Amino acid sequence: MPNETLKSDRTAEARTRGDAKERIFAAAEKLFTEQGYAATSMRMIASAAGVPLASINYHFGSKRDLMESVYQRVLGADGTRSGYLAKLEREAVEAPLSVTRIVETFVESTLRLSRKDTVSGAVFKQLIGRAYFEPGDDFIPEEYVRIMDWYRKALMRALPALPEDELLRRMYFFVGIVAYVMAGRDVMHLLGRCSPASRNDLESLLRALVPFIVGGLEAPPSA
């Protein structure tokens, strides 16, 4: 009997720890989405989760480690995306992928993530928007850095005549436009009566962006 009681107590304690970890995760996801990474403190997360501050350090370590965990769940850092990008490279054999194929892959990947069951599309879109407009670079998750490095290398091979500095500037515009659309910062109203009659939902806008982005990337180098 004493052994069974001890076992039950340990099970309850483990369950409590697990619940606390999930509450911390949920609170961090919500606050990072609403406030941004820089404006969210560990104390804010602990208060929202209803746990001691030390509990966050116990389960996740630092604030950055917690942010990495949130983005890993959102981005699905399980190797599938990196594997898909590598598959595209193998298909290209010796020839570089076309700029259109690269941009379409980026847009399709973004749309696929926005439909993930593990996190609502709204949360994903806001996190991506927040990531782009955050000050500094401490918030950028490692998985995102790896993915963007793949796109940089692929575009360098597709556009060999474009200086790297110019390419990076254009990638900044490219990713910025997508992040802006994902964040839902609707500026259509600024067009007034000139608002287009075409569909303006997220998927339609992102697909309509592809030729616009490709044209910008393939433009001759600036003087």
Side-chain angles (χ1 to χ4, degrees):
M1 184 68 71
N3 288 338
E4 292 180 2
T5 302
L6 181 59
K7 182 179 179 181
S8 177
D9 290 343
R10 287 175 176 171
T11 301
E13 183 182 354
R15 187 181 299 113
T16 300
R17 287 200 300 268
D19 291 344
K21 184 175 182 178
E22 186 56 37
R23 290 203 308 274
I24 293 168
F25 201 100
E29 184 179 272
K30 184 174 186 293
L31 288 169
F32 288 158
T33 299
E34 295 177 352
Q35 309 288 336
Y37 174 77
T40 299
S41 69
M42 295 279 268
R43 288 190 181 280
M44 290 168 64
I45 296 170
S47 177
V51 300
L53 184 59
S55 184
I56 300 180
N57 295 323
Y58 173 79
H59 289 291
F60 293 97
S62 68
K63 177 183 169 183
R64 180 177 175 83
D65 290 335
L66 177 52
M67 176 273 291
E68 288 280 358
S69 296
V70 170
Y71 271 90
Q72 281 176 7
R73 185 154 82 172
V74 173
L75 291 171
D78 54 8
T80 56
R81 182 162 39 264
S82 298
Y84 176 68
L85 297 178
K87 177 176 178 290
L88 286 180
E89 290 287 359
R90 288 195 299 272
E91 288 176 359
V93 193
E94 298 299 325
L97 296 168
S98 70
V99 175
T100 298
R101 184 73 183 280
I102 295 167
V103 174
E104 285 177 342
T105 298
F106 186 91
V107 168
E108 288 296 333
S109 178
T110 301
L111 286 170
R112 194 160 54 247
L113 283 167
S114 72
R115 306 186 195 108
K116 282 172 66 70
D117 294 332
T118 54
V119 65
S120 72
V123 169
F124 170 71
K125 288 184 286 186
Q126 290 178 56
L127 279 173
I128 294 300
R130 284 283 183 187
Y132 189 75
F133 294 103
E134 282 274 358
D137 58 5
D138 184 53
F139 67 93
I140 302 175
E142 289 299 323
E143 174 71 2
Y144 185 81
V145 172
R146 285 193 294 271
I147 293 168
M148 291 312 300
D149 192 55
W150 183 92
Y151 283 103
R152 178 187 62 81
K153 291 176 180 176
L155 285 169
M156 284 181 64
R157 286 192 288 272
L159 299 165
L162 199 64
E164 186 172 3
D165 284 350
E166 180 75 11
L167 172 63
L168 291 175
R169 187 181 296 115
R170 295 182 186 191
M171 283 188 69
Y172 171 79
F173 297 149
F174 160 27
V175 177
I177 291 170
V178 174
Y180 195 87
V181 173
M182 290 294 292
R185 289 170 168 79
D186 188 3
V187 295
M188 286 294 182
H189 65 281
L190 296 178
L191 301 176
R193 295 181 180 177
C194 299
S195 297
S198 57
R199 292 176 59 193
N200 294 318
D201 59 280
L202 174 65
E203 186 156 346
S204 297
L205 285 172
L206 286 180
R207 293 192 188 285
L209 270 176
V210 171
F212 180 83
I213 293 170
V214 170
L217 288 169
E218 292 183 336
S222 56

